[in-house]
Amino acid sequence: MSTNTRETIDINGISVEVRRKSIKNLHVGVYPPDGRVRVSAPLRFDSESIRLAVVSRIGWIRRKRATFETQVRQTEREMVTGESHFVLGRRYRLKVVEAPGAHRVHIAGNSWLELTVRPGTDTAGRKRALERWYRDILRERIPALLDEWQPRLGVEVTEWRVKHMKTRWGSCNAEAKRIWLNSELAKKPEACLEYVLVHELTHLLERNHTDRFRALLDEFMPDWRLRRDELNRAPLAHEEWDY
């Protein structure tokens, strides 16, 4: 086998996605919101070796899936006054105000997130206005983080962008030196944003999630596991995955 492949196998009633890659060690991950199990395995591993590795971790997998079943998860947002929204890890109550002019969003006091929209703006329009504001929050914070972390890692990106992603907190094109960050990070604690940024910058030094990649994270950000756990403990939207 010379190229990366994907397949799905059933192990003890659990559907497991298997990705064979050019890596040294096997990694098992369990991802929210529904406890999806994914295995990254070296190309040399056959199906039986992968099956035995997963079976040996079955207790841990079930415990991990159980934590996702009880995790706080946001319901579908209706964009009406009184519902909860998160900004940089803090919970705010939404206040919708209808007024002429451009849509505006700002934090009012310690507990309110005020969304001003034109009269008659529907739910989708309100969501778009709030999502643009979330992207603006990240665009304001990311340059300072890059200025701090790029010299530490000895790397430099040619481009960075913010967009809504359904399955990733961030992504990196190592060849182009381009990174993308999920706009949903504006809802998470700032330490989580910093972790994801450093995670993606580290991919410029090591493309895959290898032992070397984790060692580099240990060197640059010793508490990265705590930050990752905080990211995955924060209230989840319906489509968000682990990182």
Side-chain angles (χ1 to χ4, degrees), residues 5-7 9 11 15-21 23 25-31 36-42 45 49-51 53-55 57 61:
T5 64
R6 295 188 186 185
E7 64 177 306
I9 60 177
I11 300 177
S15 180
V16 178
E17 178 187 344
V18 177
R19 299 183 180 184
R20 289 184 172 87
K21 301 179 179 181
I23 56 178
N25 299 308
L26 181 140
H27 173 73
V28 179
V30 184
Y31 303 99
R36 179 179 54 88
V37 180
R38 187 174 70 200
V39 174
S40 296
F45 274 47
S49 298
I50 294 171
R51 182 179 298 275
V54 173
V55 168
R57 295 167 172 82
I61 290 170

Side-chain angles (χ1 to χ4, degrees), residues 20-75:
R20 289 184 172 87
K21 301 179 179 181
S22 298
I23 56 178
K24 292 183 178 180
N25 299 308
L26 181 140
H27 173 73
V28 179
V30 184
Y31 303 99
D34 56 359
R36 179 179 54 88
V37 180
R38 187 174 70 200
V39 174
S40 296
L43 296 173
R44 68 180 185 276
F45 274 47
D46 59 21
S47 295
E48 184 60 22
S49 298
I50 294 171
R51 182 179 298 275
L52 290 173
V54 173
V55 168
S56 70
R57 295 167 172 82
I58 207 72
W60 172 81
I61 290 170
R62 286 175 174 159
R63 289 192 298 273
K64 191 76 171 177
R65 298 182 92 187
T67 64
F68 296 143
E69 292 177 0
T70 59
Q71 189 169 9
V72 177
R73 183 165 289 112
Q74 292 184 31
T75 58

Side-chain angles (χ1 to χ4, degrees), residues 120-178:
T121 302
D122 61 11
T123 300
R126 295 177 181 187
K127 285 182 178 179
R128 286 193 295 271
L130 186 57
E131 287 168 0
R132 284 194 295 270
W133 184 73
Y134 278 132
R135 288 195 294 271
D136 288 343
I137 287 177
L138 295 184
R139 292 185 181 117
E140 290 175 359
R141 283 163 171 74
I142 289 170
L145 290 173
L146 286 172
D147 288 345
E148 177 181 354
W149 284 99
Q150 287 183 131
R152 290 195 193 183
L153 275 69
V155 299
E156 186 172 350
V157 297
T158 59
E159 182 182 13
W160 62 269
R161 294 186 183 182
V162 175
K163 67 175 182 178
H164 181 74
M165 292 183 275
K166 290 185 176 182
T167 60
R168 297 180 180 182
W169 290 118
S171 65
C172 174
N173 183 321
E175 290 184 358
K177 297 184 178 180
R178 180 188 303 118

